[in-house]
Amino acid sequence: MEIFLIKLLQFMLAISLLVLLHEGGHFFFARLFGIRVEKFYLFFDPWFHLFEFKPKKSDTTYGVGWLPLGGYCKISGMIDESFDTEQMKQPAQPWEFRSKPAWQRLLVMVGGVLVNFLLALFIYSMILFHWGDSYVPTKNMTYGMKFNSEAKAYGFKDGDILLGTENGEFKEYGLNMLRDMSSATRVDLIRNGKQMSIALPGDINLLNMLKSQPSFVFPFIPSVIDSVLADQPLAKAGVKAGDKIVAFNGTDISSQNEVLFEIDKLKDVMATVTTHADSMKVRNATIVTERDGARDTLNIVLTADLKMGFIQKHYLMLYEPVKVEYGFLESFPAGIMYGMDVLSGYVNDMKYVFTSDGVKQLGGFGTIGNLFPAAWDWYMFWNMTAFLSIILAFMNILPIPALDGGHILFLLYEMITRRKPSENFMIKAEYVGFAILILLMLVANLNDILRWLGLM
């Protein structure tokens, strides 16, 4: 429960900040051009609100709704998610959105996206200024990588040290590296001390690379036990730190990666058992360990959650990271470059959304909330906030009615053709766009529920 609350608090704080600033962007340009803002709300308030106040001599009511799905800035004389058609039947007033020139209305609609985009770049810059950049270059990962059968079919071998592609050197292991490999026609690497290259097709499916088990590629972690937990299965069997696991249930093991994969397979089996006897069959395991060249076969009983009782060593613990520090002024170009790289990767990956596998990967509030760490970490919090700000900016600029991008599309049409779409058309478009958004939200959150139930 504590972990859930910590993640929830981080998620709510990040979303509240992003929504307030996004709507603040619309508010700023509206007031700049003398357009009346009737309501400025964090979260939606159908039927009732949690808090509301209206300052004296102000046309704007500020408040907090109860439905945390976003927020809104109700601008006079504008067809938006409030569907206030009665106001649109009245004669246009000089303080209304519809009475202003198209270029002013365009800036009002762009304001939210602009603020989110600039906010992300600013946060990334401040992250680099405060924490710097710490990473392990793939070329320094001397243990190399562990590959699955699909990767080996392309010519990779366990222990290969990855250097880069025809498009440049890999910085570190992660999504960007996998994205580069998926579109590469050549990967440079070091094998047995010699540099060589492998030809790739240039169109490997990134989604398949990410979801495959075992992973398409993962840093090789030696199967040497780093620490043994007291009173746990390995400790009870006499295994000590420094021992090496070379086999698990009859399967040869050469890395810690394979140990974890074999346990993951047992978890799949455990999910189907119905009796205590069947559960114990799954938990009874045979391992072969090696100490000073001598091997020993041991029978152990895994814990109820299928743990052996050793501390898993993260691959970053094997290497000395490269640390880059940034001065205040230096952090801005570096942060902008980093943010643009994040945006470019996200836009590139959007093509997978329109596939059957891509739809299954959509996630709702549960998925987003789980991206935050289980313990409060300001570095991770600001990193995730900046990432969500980039996503919010991009998603809102999509040319879908009911989103900022839909309004921008119609305004551009008006500016080019000198013809304004009818209010009846705009209202119908708003309903269609709103229906699309509700459908996407339902699909994304249904996926979360199915994953939680173990059905996806």
Side-chain angles (χ1 to χ4, degrees), residues 225-229 241-242 309-311:
I225 300 297
D226 186 60
S227 303
V228 178
L229 299 176
F310 71 97
I311 296 177

Side-chain angles (χ1 to χ4, degrees), residues 276-420:
H276 176 71
D278 289 337
S279 173
M280 291 307 298
K281 286 180 182 178
V282 177
R283 291 173 58 189
N284 277 284
T286 301
I287 63 171
V288 178
T289 60
E290 184 176 282
R291 182 188 301 169
D292 299 326
R295 296 194 171 190
D296 193 9
T297 301
L298 305 170
N299 294 316
I300 63 173
V301 179
L302 303 175
T303 62
D305 56 352
L306 300 180
K307 297 288 180 65
M308 289 198 292
F310 71 97
I311 296 177
Q312 299 171 8
K313 196 164 191 175
H314 195 276
Y315 71 89
L316 292 177
M317 298 167 63
L318 301 172
Y319 308 104
E320 186 70 27
V322 172
K323 180 76 173 178
V324 182
E325 302 285 351
Y326 292 92
F328 183 72
L329 295 180
E330 292 175 316
S331 68
F332 286 99
I336 291 171
M337 187 178 299
Y338 186 87
M340 294 302 295
D341 186 49
V342 171
L343 177 62
S344 174
Y346 184 76
V347 172
N348 180 71
D349 296 344
M350 280 297 291
K351 62 187 177 186
Y352 294 107
V353 172
F354 304 102
T355 66
S356 57
D357 283 340
V359 171
K360 294 177 183 177
Q361 299 306 312
L362 287 175
F365 298 112
T367 297
I368 298 173
N370 274 323
L371 294 175
F372 289 92
W376 196 281
D377 184 320
W378 282 112
Y379 173 81
M380 288 299 298
F381 170 79
W382 287 117
N383 232 316
M384 277 305 308
T385 301
F387 178 62
L388 292 177
S389 195
I390 285 273
I391 293 177
L392 187 59
F394 177 74
M395 294 301 293
N396 264 284
I397 205 67
L398 292 176
I400 300 174
L403 290 179
D404 296 341
H407 291 282
I408 291 169
L409 178 65
F410 294 137
L411 281 166
L412 291 175
Y413 168 82
E414 178 185 342
M415 295 172 74
I416 294 170
T417 65
R418 304 294 182 180
R419 288 189 300 171
K420 191 174 183 180

Side-chain angles (χ1 to χ4, degrees), residues 67-188:
L67 188 60
L69 300 181
Y72 69 95
C73 180
K74 189 178 186 308
I75 298 172
S76 294
M78 176 183 169
I79 298 170
D80 57 14
E81 62 272 11
S82 67
F83 300 108
D84 188 357
T85 56
E86 289 303 315
Q87 184 183 72
M88 303 305 293
K89 294 177 182 178
Q90 306 301 318
Q93 301 297 323
W95 62 79
E96 290 186 334
F97 178 82
R98 55 180 166 169
S99 300
K100 300 300 179 178
W103 68 270
Q104 292 186 4
R105 285 180 278 135
L106 181 64
L107 285 175
V108 171
M109 296 316 305
V110 169
V113 170
L114 181 63
V115 167
N116 280 134
F117 182 63
L118 294 178
L119 174 67
L121 299 183
F122 177 74
I123 292 175
Y124 282 133
S125 299
M126 292 301 96
I127 288 173
L128 292 176
F129 171 64
H130 188 271
W131 284 285
D133 191 12
S134 181
Y135 62 95
V136 176
T138 59
K139 64 182 180 181
N140 293 353
M141 293 182 172
T142 52
Y143 286 107
M145 298 287 174
K146 181 74 179 174
F147 301 90
N148 68 6
S149 56
E150 180 190 356
K152 289 177 180 177
Y154 288 117
F156 293 104
K157 290 187 177 181
D158 290 341
D160 286 348
I161 301 172
L162 300 179
L163 301 177
T165 71
E166 71 271 16
N167 296 317
E169 188 177 275
F170 294 137
K171 178 184 176 184
E172 59 186 325
Y173 173 81
L175 179 58
N176 283 342
M177 187 198 82
L178 293 174
R179 189 181 288 121
D180 290 345
M181 290 177 68
S182 71
S183 59
T185 57
R186 188 194 82 231
V187 172
D188 302 322

Side-chain angles (χ1 to χ4, degrees), residues 76 92 136 174 207 246 273:
S76 294
V136 176
L207 274 183
V246 296
V273 302

